[in-house]
Amino acid sequence: MLFCDLLRVTVLLVAAVATVLGAISVVIANRDADDVALVVGAAWWFAAAALGLWFGRSSRTAEAVGTVLAGARTATSLPPESPGRIAFLRLWPIGAFALIVGGLAWVWPQVAAIGAGYAIFVALAWRRREAAVTAIEERDGVRFYVEPSSALEPLRLIRTPGLYRDRPPAAKAPPPPTVE
């Protein structure tokens, strides 16, 4: 699985979890007429969004992505696992987080509000990582693939040559001279 694709799926999945947990917390707090939970949850969501935007700045993104890409090993073949299996192995904790926090929300709506804020923070902080990796891949003419491993292990990447990226783009031929 391409590392860019894993980053994109991660951000979309975390944003979806934030949406679902936010909706659950609003519905349950409204059902229980708990205005304090709604106000505190909304304040936390705005604070999490501001922090996520701050931590998702380009300079912080370059630092975070640079350390992961620097540890990539070079290979000439792709990982044998399917992209879906790799994505599941790496992203199952996000689903587990959503199920646990969503389940606890039926007893304590504040838990879902806090979980939604955390997911908002992560989604906004990671939103530019895919673009940073794509820019490095285009600059260097390589592709980064995720090595199959558990989510409980550190992420390992494989660096491969990009398809047709080792050739410079074809130069445009000068226009034919005009005869006057």
Side-chain angles (χ1 to χ4, degrees):
M1 171 174 218
L2 282 171
F3 184 46
C4 289
D5 292 343
L6 181 68
L7 290 171
R8 185 179 308 119
V9 168
T10 301
V11 170
L12 292 175
L13 184 61
V14 171
V17 166
T19 303
V20 170
L21 291 177
I24 288 172
S25 65
V26 168
V27 167
I28 293 175
N30 189 29
R31 180 194 68 188
D32 297 342
D34 191 357
D35 294 335
V36 174
L38 288 173
V39 170
V40 170
W44 166 233
W45 296 340
F46 283 116
L51 286 170
L53 290 171
W54 177 257
F55 281 100
R57 298 184 327 266
S58 296
S59 60
R60 302 234 355 148
T61 299
E63 290 173 21
V65 169
T67 57
V68 173
L69 297 181
R73 69 179 179 88
T74 304
T76 56
S77 63
L78 300 178
E81 297 287 331
S82 71
R85 179 169 159 69
I86 293 172
F88 178 76
L89 286 173
R90 298 303 305 178
L91 300 178
W92 69 263
I94 297 171
F97 169 78
L99 291 175
I100 291 169
V101 172
L104 290 174
W106 297 105
V107 178
W108 301 292
Q110 303 87 350
V111 173
I114 292 168
Y118 176 72
I120 290 168
F121 167 75
V122 171
L124 289 174
W126 281 45
R127 74 189 187 284
R128 291 189 177 167
R129 291 185 181 199
E130 184 261 332
V133 172
T134 301
I136 291 169
E137 286 180 344
E138 289 176 358
R139 181 195 68 194
D140 295 347
V142 297
R143 296 291 235 171
F144 291 97
Y145 289 89
V146 178
E147 238 182 80
S149 63
S150 169
L152 304 177
E153 298 174 10
L155 182 70
R156 294 184 314 252
L157 298 178
I158 299 171
R159 177 185 172 128
T160 63
L163 185 62
Y164 294 113
R165 292 177 180 222
D166 57 344
R167 299 181 188 135
K172 285 187 173 180
T178 57
V179 179
E180 293 182 30

